Amino acid sequence: QLQESGPGLVKPSGTLSLTCVVSGASISSSNWWSWVRQTPGKGLEWIGEIYHDGTTDYNPSLKSRVTISVDKPKNQFSLRLKSVTAADTAVYYCARVGLDSSAYDYWGPGTLVTVSS
Amino acid sequence: DIVMTQSPDSLAVSLGERATINCKSSQNILNSANNKNYLGWYQQKPGQPPKLLIYWASTRKPGVPDRFSGSGSGADFTLTISSLQVEDVAVYYCQQYYNTPRTFGQGTKVEIK
């Protein structure tokens, strides 16, 4: 299971910070761990992903503002998105890339983050 | 970026009838080295995250009803629901994972006629 947590409201120009706690699996396994967001206007958008050794891959459209990190002792990974605007208002999901499928086989329930003053 | 385009945007199908959703990628997503199409299909119901149905374009995830099937290769793909059930009302997305950024189609809303 995956579970997102973090503030539901962030001020414009501030930093969005979310954590995804992984249970029932080890974040040190051979999976990649991802962040995906969903808005009514842009649909599903891949933000980026991380491997347990800290290797990351980011969406070029967000790369200058995104940092994804992993905390192996806590079995969790995190997302930081800086300099947010209203356009970053979305439901944010964490997801696991399956070893057999290479697709997203498990997702968190999602968390709505609103950017507003 | 690989652009994924689904058609139609929505469709209404009678219970027990076939529903067909198409997905086209802007470039080939077949890896000739392993003969795999890097394409997944997801189902999303309101208030829920997407749920993986099909991967490698045609492999059904264990536990997914066999009325769901995927086909196609290269840049043209299809998701078929052979006999629509009430619980299949949802939005369906295709996604390519051939390269990053991973990209999704815009979604197809399936309703009961």
Side-chain angles (χ1 to χ4, degrees):
Chain A
Q1 287 186 333
L2 292 83
Q3 179 68 55
E4 306 90 351
S5 64
L9 181 64
V10 181
K11 293 188 186 318
S13 77
T15 298
L16 179 159
S17 296
L18 296 174
T19 295
C20 180
V21 176
V22 178
S23 58
S26 172
I27 205 159
S28 297
S29 62
S30 300
N31 302 89
W32 284 78
W33 305 89
S34 295
W35 288 98
V36 176
R37 68 183 182 180
Q38 186 170 30
T39 62
K42 292 190 73 175
L44 289 160
E45 182 180 27
W46 179 77
I47 300 171
E49 56 195 32
I50 190 165
Y51 196 64
H52 64 77
D53 66 357
T55 303
T56 53
D57 194 357
Y58 298 136
N59 193 321
S61 68
L62 298 168
K63 190 172 185 176
S64 62
R65 299 193 291 131
V66 172
T67 302
I68 297 175
S69 58
V70 65
D71 186 334
K72 288 190 280 187
K74 292 184 177 180
N75 215 42
Q76 65 187 37
F77 62 108
S78 299
L79 168 70
R80 282 173 56 88
L81 180 66
K82 64 182 182 182
S83 305
V84 297
T85 69
D88 295 309
T89 294
V91 176
Y92 285 77
Y93 296 102
C94 56
R96 187 186 82 166
V97 178
L99 291 178
D100 293 336
S101 66
S102 292
Y104 292 127
D105 59 356
Y106 288 97
W107 296 67
T111 186
L112 173 63
V113 179
T114 302
V115 178
S116 175
S117 55
Chain B
D1 298 5
I2 299 176
V3 177
M4 307 300 290
T5 304
Q6 292 180 228
S7 62
D9 289 334
S10 64
L11 76 161
V13 176
S14 300
L15 284 173
E17 296 300 305
R18 179 184 302 261
T20 301
I21 301 168
N22 300 301
C23 175
K24 182 181 288 284
S25 55
S26 61
Q27 67 184 69
N28 176 57
I29 55 174
L30 168 64
N31 185 332
S32 55
N34 58 14
N35 201 36
K36 288 184 174 181
N37 288 282
Y38 284 57
L39 189 282
W41 287 99
Y42 299 83
Q43 175 193 67
Q44 187 178 32
K45 297 181 179 179
Q48 297 183 18
K51 170 189 170 185
L52 180 64
L53 299 176
I54 303 282
Y55 55 93
W56 302 130
S58 60
T59 302
R60 197 180 305 113
K61 184 182 177 185
V64 173
D66 61 7
R67 63 181 179 273
F68 291 94
S69 63
S71 62
S73 185
D76 287 283
F77 303 92
T78 300
L79 174 69
T80 301
I81 309 172
S82 61
S83 176
L84 191 74
Q85 305 300 303
V86 171
E87 60 266 33
D88 301 335
V89 170
V91 180
Y92 293 83
Y93 295 93
C94 60
Q95 180 221 356
Q96 67 81 19
Y97 43 94
Y98 184 80
N99 60 21
T100 60
R102 300 172 184 258
T103 47
F104 295 83
Q106 80 277 17
T108 295
K109 187 174 185 178
V110 174
E111 299 172 308
I112 304 293
K113 185 186 292 183

